[in-house]
């Protein structure tokens, strides 16, 4: 019965975007899953980016991201068990990645002027819809459906720099755990509410929260996530907590582990802002949440050197993760190492149009795809005479499965130059 309920909720969340008022064919639009998203001044998602939607490599058998996903889900299922012996946490790992601006930002109290909303940071279908920038975008809707304990796993999309650890599509795990005073103190009838109107907001607590309950939830959260880190990185892993800031939690923390003699951030977490819970209808609850990136963990756990490898269909890569037990220790062995090719591109920035480096990175990705290993801004100067600013970028090309020729690279590079002139209004030097 519980699996049937989860399936129904997943279908509802996936189908809520299928609008019945399809737009006229003469209006440019993006059509996905039977729904039409008309283009406007905010539209910046490319066909290349849309090709990733539905790939769901985190659900692919014997894929490194799937192995870590399974380990996290198994950990929560064995750690939190209900009175009847069932798993407390439900899992949603195939939700529609197209969300509204309200879901991605407003429902999480992200300010209107926050830089994460910029077109240069997100992939917008139009001013009202975008490819989710984090799986946290689904939290409010799931809570409003009455869910108190759940995991969300999925692909997220951000326009970013280009190097071996950044990719415009990556995968996250989010979790929410909500409790009432009765859940926490079933044998103490004197504690009737999670609230105490005499409490003011401090660095350690939100306003109006019962301090004892707030501390109890923080302790449960930290203990749980430390145990999860031990599950993933070994029982002897060293951890530490660092204070952080997120618009949707307070207090907020980041968990770091000592890995290869360096402190590495693993996840962000905190107590969910009460305003979010109230809006979602969970008015008598207090809750904690966390979020982490799967690629980041997989690159460290399996010593995978380049984030592009996660999208490889080469059997030499995938066969290394063909194991029955997701906890099997694996160290990635390079199938082969091919030499890079690098070309520079220099141009004057437009004087009468906005320019953002992320726009150029996205353009390079769209044209070069996974042949692009890295793009670095290596020189920037302003000419006193021309009153113009110049950028010079070095683009490193490398094929993951064969040697690239300079002739092949030159063709792609020329296409990048031409497209940058036409779309970004730059002037090649």
């Amino acid at each position: 019965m519980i699996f049937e309920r989860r399936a129904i909720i997943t279908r509802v969340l996936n189908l809520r975007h299928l609008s019945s008022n399809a737009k006229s064919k003469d209006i440019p639009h993006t059509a996905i899953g039977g729904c039409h998203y008309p283009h406007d001044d905010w539209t910046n998602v490319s066909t290349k980016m849309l090709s990733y939607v539905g790939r769901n490599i985190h659900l692919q058998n014997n894929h490194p991201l799937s192995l870590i996903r399974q380990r996290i889900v198994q950990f929560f299922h064995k750690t939190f068990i209900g009175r009847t012996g069932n798993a407390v946490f439900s899992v949603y790992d195939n939700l529609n990645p197209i969300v509204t601006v309200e879901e991605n930002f407003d429902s999480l109290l992200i300010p209107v002027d926050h830089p994460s909303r910029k077109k240069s940071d997100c992939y917008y279908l139009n001013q009202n819809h975008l490819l989710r920038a984090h799986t946290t975008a689904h939290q409010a809707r799931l809570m409003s459906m009455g869910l108190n304990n759940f995991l969300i796993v999925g692909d997220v999309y951000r326009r970013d720099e280009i190097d071996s650890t950044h990719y415009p599509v990556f995968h996250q795990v989010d979790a929410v755990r909500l409790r009432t005073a009765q859940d926490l103190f079933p044998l103490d009838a004197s504690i009737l509410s999670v609230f105490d109107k005499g409490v003011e907001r401090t660095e350690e607590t939100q306003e109006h929260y019962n301090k004892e309950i707030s501390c109890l939830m923080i302790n449960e959260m930290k203990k749980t996530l430390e145990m999860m880190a031990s599950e993933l990185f070994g029982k002897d892993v060293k951890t530490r907590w660092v204070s952080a800031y997120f618009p949707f939690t307070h207090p907020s923390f980041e968990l770091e582990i000592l890995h290869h003699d360096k402190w590495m951030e693993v996840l962000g977490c905190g107590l969910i802002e009460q305003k979010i819970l109230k809006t979602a209808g969970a008015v008598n609850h207090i809750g904690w949440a966390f979020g982490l990136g799967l690629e980041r963990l997989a690159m460290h756990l399996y010593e995978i050197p380049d984030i592009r490898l996660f999208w490889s269909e080469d059997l030499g890569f995938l066969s290394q993760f063909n194991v029955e037990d997701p906890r099997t220790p694996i160290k990635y062995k390079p199938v082969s190492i091919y030499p890079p090719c690098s070309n520079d591109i220099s141009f004057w920035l437009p004087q009468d149009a906005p320019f953002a480096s992320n726009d150029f990175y996205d353009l390079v990705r769209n044209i070069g795809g996974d042949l692009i290993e890295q793009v670095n801004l290596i020189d920037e100067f302003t000419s006193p005479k021309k009153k113009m600013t110049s950028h010079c970028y070095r683009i490193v090309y490398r094929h993951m499965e064969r040697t690239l020729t300079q002739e092949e690279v030159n063709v792609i590079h020329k296409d990048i130059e031409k497209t940058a002139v036409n779309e970004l209004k730059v002037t090649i030097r």
Side-chain angles (χ1 to χ4, degrees), residues 26-49:
D26 60 353
I27 300 176
H29 64 270
T30 297
I32 301 178
C35 187
H36 294 253
Y37 300 91
H39 293 179
D40 57 25
D41 291 341
W42 279 82
T43 305
N44 65 0
V45 65
S46 64
T47 302
K48 172 68 175 176
M49 291 310 304

Side-chain angles (χ1 to χ4, degrees), residues 121-394:
D121 278 43
C122 297
Y123 289 100
Y124 284 90
L125 281 78
N126 53 42
Q127 64 179 339
N128 296 318
H129 297 87
L130 70 158
L131 296 176
R132 63 187 170 210
H134 43 205
T135 46
T136 319
H138 300 287
Q139 283 188 9
R141 183 170 290 272
L142 288 171
M143 288 189 292
S144 70
M145 291 181 169
L147 298 177
N148 292 337
N149 302 277
F150 55 85
L151 291 162
I152 309 167
V153 191
D155 45 345
V156 299
Y157 301 77
R158 294 182 195 170
R159 306 179 82 193
D160 211 338
E161 57 191 291
I162 298 176
D163 58 33
S164 62
T165 62
H166 291 84
Y167 203 80
V169 191
F170 57 102
H171 296 76
Q172 287 186 333
V173 176
D174 257 81
V176 164
R177 178 160 171 78
L178 303 184
R179 309 283 273 162
T180 64
Q182 287 69 35
D183 293 331
L184 294 166
F185 299 99
L187 302 179
D188 190 346
S190 66
I191 301 178
L192 300 177
S193 175
V194 299
F195 302 108
D196 183 344
K197 293 184 179 180
V199 176
E200 296 183 356
R201 190 181 186 94
T202 67
E203 292 184 0
E204 291 78 27
T205 186
Q206 293 181 38
E207 61 273 26
H208 307 320
Y209 266 152
N210 179 302
K211 288 185 177 180
E212 184 179 0
I213 289 180
S214 181
C215 288
L216 190 64
M217 289 295 288
I218 292 173
N219 289 339
E220 180 192 71
M221 174 186 71
K222 287 185 174 182
K223 180 181 178 182
T224 299
L225 299 180
E226 287 171 353
M227 289 170 56
M228 184 180 71
S230 297
E231 172 73 18
L232 294 173
F233 290 92
K235 63 180 181 179
D236 296 326
V237 66
K238 293 183 179 179
T239 62
R240 72 179 183 186
W241 290 98
V242 179
S243 295
Y245 167 76
F246 306 110
F248 33 86
T249 56
H250 182 81
S252 302
F253 309 92
E254 290 177 346
L255 176 62
E256 297 182 349
I257 65 167
L258 189 62
H259 188 64
H260 295 327
D261 298 322
K262 293 183 178 180
W263 287 104
M264 180 186 82
E265 176 197 336
V266 173
L267 55 85
C269 62
L271 292 189
I272 302 170
E273 286 282 1
Q274 180 61 30
K275 183 177 180 180
I276 295 176
L277 299 180
K278 184 177 180 181
T279 302
V283 292
N284 296 318
H285 293 73
I286 185 172
W288 54 261
F290 81 87
L292 60 80
L294 285 178
E295 279 85 349
R296 182 179 182 83
L297 297 188
M299 292 183 78
H300 287 276
L301 277 171
Y302 305 130
E303 299 186 25
I304 297 172
D306 195 306
I307 197 170
R308 292 176 298 165
L309 282 165
F310 292 110
W311 297 91
S312 174
E313 297 180 353
D314 181 65
L315 292 179
F317 172 74
L318 295 174
S319 63
Q320 298 185 44
F321 303 94
N322 187 9
V323 294
E324 292 185 6
D325 185 350
R327 296 171 297 177
T328 303
I330 301 170
K331 181 179 179 180
Y332 168 71
K333 297 177 182 178
V335 178
S336 143
I337 298 176
Y338 300 97
C341 295
S342 63
N343 283 16
D344 294 350
I345 178 172
S346 299
F347 48 74
W348 297 106
L349 304 190
Q351 292 182 293
D352 54 356
F355 178 87
S357 291
N358 278 355
D359 293 335
F360 179 66
Y361 298 149
D362 198 43
L363 181 150
V364 173
R365 282 272 196 209
N366 287 338
I367 296 173
D370 285 349
L371 297 182
I372 307 300
E373 178 175 88
Q374 194 168 16
V375 180
N376 289 320
L377 176 61
I378 61 173
D379 185 52
E380 179 179 7
F381 77 93
T382 300
S383 169
K385 184 176 180 180
K386 293 189 175 185
K387 306 295 183 184
M388 296 176 68
T389 300
S390 169
H391 279 191
C392 179
Y393 294 88
R394 178 157 295 157

